[in-house]
Every structure is written in structure tokens, then in C-alpha cells.
Amino acid sequence: MFDLTPIDKNNRLQRDYFFMNLAVMYRTRGTCPRLKVGCILTSMHRLVAAGYNSSPPNQPHCEDVGCLLKNNHCIRCPHAEIAAISNLEHRYNDLTAYVTAQPCYFCLRALFMAGTKDIYYIKSFIDLDRDELARSFNIPMIQMPWPYKDCKDLIPFDSEAYRSKDNGIRTVKRETPVI
């Protein structure tokens, strides 16, 4: 379980927020204009793989030729979770996933097969089949509090910008988003 305060007692970014910030940074490389997603996989608090949704090498990108939709879901780009899993160097049985958007049914199944035990995400989507699958796999999917509601406005935490006098989170508007 994660601490709701992004800054720890030593004035460092708390681990769960640190890894989610990395996922937010990875999502900037995504090439699907419908939703850019980043995924970080960790084992024992160490980063072991990362990915973002983008077309395979030497294939056209959604932003260049348009999305390929099936059931209102883009299938041109492998999802960030699949990209991260494909970047794993070996098998793990204790992975934690940090994903900027809640995994779809197929990505949840792939994360489970890769050894994922916990999934943290920011943006949620309604998918009753996925939720039922998560319960059957006994994988907690935990939505992290984030100061920006819209994924287009996700930016990394800046410890000074987000620290208030009581060590809580406060919302800071930026003129130009980092992403």
C-alpha cells in the first residue's frame, strides 16, 4: 500500500510516486493520439522494465496514419504494458506495475502471466470484464491520487511545487504543460 503523501519524511519523492512519475515520463514517447500511456515494472523496489504505447519498429504510427480501431479500441500500437513486459530480461514473480491508465482486459492478463502482484494507475476506465478478471487473479488495482484529473495534463511531481506547509498535496497550475 502506498502513502498518500508524495514526499517522505526525508524530503524525497515517495517510491510509488517516483515510479509513477517515470511512467508519466515514458508516456510522452507514445504515438497514439487517442491516449498516450506509460508503464513501469518494478521488482523489490527496483525498476526492471518500462514501456509506452507505440507502433512496432518499421511500422506506421497512429499519429502519422491514424488509429486502427476495433470495438472503439486502438489496436495499431502495442499497449504500454505489453511493451514493458517485452522489455523484461527474465521472469519475475513479484512485479509491481505503475501505469498511467488502468490496464485493459488483455494487458491485465499479460501482466498477471508476467508475475505482477500489484497494479497502480492514475486514469481509470470502466471495464467490467477486466475488473472480474482482476478479482479472479487476486491482483489489487489501486488508483493513485494525482493532482491532475485529465491525462493530457499529467506532469511529474516537483517536490517544492507540490509541498505545502503541512506536507500535503496542493494543486499547482502551470502555464505550459511539460508534456
Side-chain angles (χ1 to χ4, degrees):
M1 218 33 130
F2 65 92
D3 181 354
L4 293 177
T5 305
I7 307 299
D8 71 14
K9 64 183 179 189
N10 296 318
N11 201 30
R12 297 185 310 173
L13 195 59
Q14 196 260 91
R15 275 193 178 117
D16 292 321
Y17 284 97
F18 173 76
F19 290 123
M20 189 60 81
N21 267 282
L22 291 177
V24 168
M25 292 305 294
Y26 265 84
R27 75 181 280 283
T28 66
R29 296 282 304 152
T31 60
C32 183
R34 289 174 56 89
L35 181 65
K36 295 180 182 209
V37 178
C39 177
I40 298 294
L41 298 177
T42 66
S43 175
M44 298 175 59
H45 304 295
R46 301 290 182 249
L47 188 143
V48 294
Y52 52 89
N53 58 332
S54 181
S55 293
N58 302 315
Q59 296 299 308
H61 294 283
C62 293
E63 61 190 12
D64 297 329
V65 297
C67 294
L68 180 60
L69 298 180
K70 184 172 184 178
N71 298 327
N72 201 31
H73 200 77
C74 182
I75 60 171
R76 183 178 306 284
C77 295
H79 290 187
E81 299 91 332
I82 302 304
I85 291 166
S86 71
N87 289 327
L88 286 169
E89 292 187 10
H90 57 83
R91 176 92 169 108
Y92 292 88
N93 60 6
D94 64 343
L95 293 173
T96 298
Y98 297 88
V99 192
T100 58
Q102 196 172 16
C104 70
Y105 177 92
F106 299 104
C107 289
L108 174 65
R109 187 173 59 185
L111 287 166
F112 174 76
M113 294 301 293
T116 303
K117 301 297 181 203
D118 299 289
I119 298 171
Y120 294 90
Y121 65 93
I122 299 172
K123 187 170 179 62
S124 64
F125 294 98
I126 296 172
D127 184 338
L128 299 177
D129 292 333
R130 181 228 24 240
D131 295 344
E132 183 179 330
L133 187 66
R135 282 190 294 279
S136 72
F137 288 159
N138 197 28
I139 295 180
M141 291 199 299
I142 304 153
Q143 187 170 19
M144 289 182 69
W146 205 258
Y148 296 91
K149 299 290 182 207
D150 186 354
C151 267
K152 289 183 273 186
D153 296 328
L154 292 178
I155 62 170
F157 275 116
D158 169 345
S159 64
E160 290 305 312
Y162 289 87
R163 178 177 289 289
S164 67
K165 291 181 182 179
D166 62 355
N167 285 346
I169 300 173
R170 63 186 174 95
T171 302
V172 177
K173 284 281 190 185
R174 293 195 181 192
E175 293 297 318
T176 308
V178 174
I179 297 173

